Amino acid sequence: MREHRLALCKDCYPKWFLRMTERTIKEWRMIMPDDRVLVAVSGGKDSLGLWFALSQLGYEADGLYLDLGISAGEYSLRSKQFAQQLADRIRRTLHVVSVSEEMGKPVPDLAFASNREPCSACGAVKRYLFNKFALEHGYTVIATGHNLDDEAATLMGNVMRWQVGYLARQSPVLPSRDGLLKRIKPFVRFTEKQVALFTILNRIPYIEQECPYSVGASSLFYKDLLNRIEERSPGTKWAFYSQFVEQIQPLLEEKFPEPGLRPCARCGMPTTAEICSVCRMKERANKPVLQLSDKSDSQGLTKT
Amino acid sequence: MRVEFRGKAFEFDQRMRVKDLLEKLNLSPESTIVVRGEEVLTEDDWLEEDDEVKVISAISGGALLVQFRQRFLPKRSTDKL
């Protein structure tokens, strides 16, 4: 690990990784003694690694897997199996929520119907359902497996377009407010490679298959650019991100305070608008559509 | 040696270091892990002609990145700043 000027054997690496995770949790006051933690589990290396690490550190965290209904390559089915395998190993509860049952349609259909990019629709639905489920089941903290590559790529994307509103809210910890639960990212110190290594060395099987809808995601491009910089100048990724969250983000947060939240008129979940974006997406996806039919009117259209 | 990467097999007929293999595959060492059996290898480890290794992409969307790089980006340079 050139950025840490450190070389560890396979026995010492997992111990170092756990120490660093614990240090991040303490430094950012991510988990308090009375907290109930819910890990957002996707079946990938980051979320499974995080759930395992929290378990090893003694945190009694449960998992929530969202079945997105992605049938291509049996993506959702296989990723759920990996999540369940780890739940059995660490003897913690894995909750499973089906997006189709909650929203009436799987994620790909929701994205199509609402004319959104799949990753954008998926992200909105995930944030919504994780928060809703956690609130309804008494959890106080939602933990996600976002790593340094994720955060640095997001930062780069937001800087390139000076999305100051998003920049003001990019932090390893987002405190709870107005119906939004506290969100934590205990893996922000680690690169994706470091997380993958931890997961592999602990023999945790995870889904290596790509989400079939991630084609063209701009975050992948930024990750690649950042890795090229990192190859030439080790430590740059961490410096870029850590200096931002320590020095710049607090200033932006003060200058650009978050807009007030109010309950959604449909579902009661917090939103800045009268109706939240997920309810709007759900309505568009489930509303009756005009289709060509033999029994159509003179314009060839009928309501089904 | 036989190299497996994302379900595809590649053959190389000479020994080389891990970092040379990644260079040939146009992969970043920052986002890949090379394993021989259950042994995780470092960039400086040597691969022998009869080795069978697997390259694991640590980056979500790694396969897509490879396609993207091969199509749009120049080959990675080993020049140091």
Side-chain angles (χ1 to χ4, degrees):
Chain A
M1 293 179 287
R2 286 177 297 178
E3 73 277 22
H4 294 288
R5 294 180 185 173
L6 194 63
L8 296 171
C9 68
K10 65 179 170 54
D11 294 325
C12 292
Y13 180 81
K15 293 173 189 164
W16 169 84
F17 189 96
L18 288 174
R19 277 201 307 275
M20 292 289 277
T21 306
E22 180 76 331
R23 190 195 294 181
T24 306
I25 291 170
K26 299 278 187 234
E27 268 182 21
W28 287 90
R29 300 172 61 82
M30 289 181 168
I31 302 173
M32 298 292 110
D34 294 337
D35 274 331
R36 288 190 67 213
V37 182
L38 184 68
V39 182
V41 181
S42 70
K45 66 182 187 312
D46 301 300
S47 59
L48 293 183
L50 174 61
W51 199 11
F52 185 77
L54 291 177
S55 157
Q56 292 288 100
L57 290 168
Y59 295 103
E60 295 181 346
D62 291 329
L64 172 59
Y65 174 84
L66 287 185
D67 187 337
L68 304 173
I70 298 175
S71 53
E74 298 189 318
Y75 181 82
S76 288
L77 177 68
R78 294 188 61 231
S79 52
K80 184 164 65 178
Q81 287 170 343
F82 287 119
Q84 189 59 57
Q85 274 181 32
L86 181 65
D88 294 343
R89 177 173 166 186
I90 62 176
R91 297 179 182 178
R92 297 300 310 178
T93 302
L94 176 71
H95 303 283
V96 178
V97 168
S98 160
V99 172
S100 294
E101 284 175 20
E102 289 287 324
M103 309 291 295
K105 293 275 170 66
V107 161
D109 292 5
L110 290 169
F112 180 76
S114 56
N115 201 25
R116 291 176 73 152
E117 292 293 328
C119 294
S120 160
C122 188
V125 169
K126 278 179 177 173
R127 284 189 293 275
Y128 175 90
L129 288 178
F130 277 124
N131 195 66
K132 184 168 178 278
F133 183 92
L135 276 173
E136 289 172 353
H137 291 80
Y139 293 98
T140 55
V141 175
I142 298 170
T144 60
H146 290 94
N147 56 52
L148 177 57
D149 291 69
D150 297 325
E151 293 300 296
T154 301
L155 175 58
M156 192 177 202
N158 288 335
V159 165
M160 287 295 159
R161 293 174 185 273
W162 291 118
Q163 302 268 22
V164 289
Y166 292 140
L167 288 168
R169 290 189 288 281
Q170 189 175 356
S171 169
V173 177
L174 292 172
S176 66
R177 67 174 191 116
D178 304 329
L180 282 181
L181 281 181
K182 181 178 181 181
R183 289 169 182 270
I184 63 171
K185 302 170 184 173
F187 277 1
V188 287
R189 276 176 187 269
F190 304 119
T191 64
E192 288 210 275
K193 181 172 177 175
Q194 288 166 349
V195 177
L197 202 50
F198 175 75
T199 308
I200 290 167
L201 289 174
N202 281 292
R203 299 168 192 264
I204 301 168
Y206 62 89
I207 188 152
E208 290 183 41
Q209 182 186 347
E210 308 304 340
C211 172
Y213 293 95
S214 66
V215 177
S218 56
S219 61
L220 300 180
F221 176 55
Y222 290 131
K223 281 181 182 179
D224 197 44
L225 291 178
L226 286 162
N227 275 338
R228 285 173 170 238
I229 296 169
E230 188 75 13
E231 280 176 42
R232 292 186 172 222
S233 180
T236 301
K237 242 184 314 199
W238 173 243
F240 178 52
Y241 176 69
S242 62
Q243 292 303 305
F244 167 75
V245 294
E246 284 169 21
Q247 298 191 41
I248 310 299
Q249 190 269 344
L251 301 176
L252 291 173
E253 193 177 22
E254 198 177 318
K255 188 166 174 58
F256 302 98
E258 288 192 77
L261 297 173
R262 54 179 166 166
C264 168
R266 296 277 192 278
C267 68
M269 296 298 285
T271 177
T272 54
E274 188 187 346
I275 300 171
C276 73
S277 65
V278 173
C279 279
R280 290 200 304 269
M281 203 188 311
K282 187 176 173 180
E283 284 176 7
R284 280 192 210 112
N286 291 289
K287 74 178 177 186
V289 292
L290 295 172
Q291 284 186 345
L292 289 171
S293 163
D294 292 340
K295 297 174 185 171
S296 61
D297 59 20
S298 58
Q299 292 180 317
L301 297 172
T302 189
K303 217 168 197 177
T304 59
Chain B
M1 85 195 61
R2 187 172 188 280
V3 180
E4 185 194 327
F5 178 58
R6 290 201 175 273
K8 290 184 181 172
F10 301 84
E11 292 285 345
F12 296 92
D13 57 4
Q14 62 188 57
R15 72 191 293 264
M16 65 180 89
R17 288 185 191 273
V18 167
K19 59 184 169 190
D20 299 322
L21 171 68
L22 296 178
E23 184 75 29
K24 283 179 184 295
L25 293 171
N26 201 20
L27 295 171
S28 168
E30 294 297 329
S31 59
T32 43
I33 295 170
V34 180
V35 295
R36 182 170 47 204
E38 294 196 342
E39 182 189 8
V40 177
L41 304 175
T42 69
E43 286 175 53
D44 291 323
D45 281 332
W46 279 96
L47 301 171
E48 304 300 330
E49 285 176 39
D50 57 351
D51 274 346
E52 291 190 6
V53 297
K54 183 178 178 186
V55 179
I56 300 170
S57 172
I59 295 281
S60 306
L64 305 167
L65 270 182
V66 171
Q67 294 163 12
F68 175 86
R69 280 179 154 186
Q70 288 170 347
R71 192 165 167 196
F72 297 111
L73 297 181
K75 203 164 171 60
R76 289 173 45 245
S77 165
T78 52
D79 297 342
K80 302 294 180 193
L81 283 176

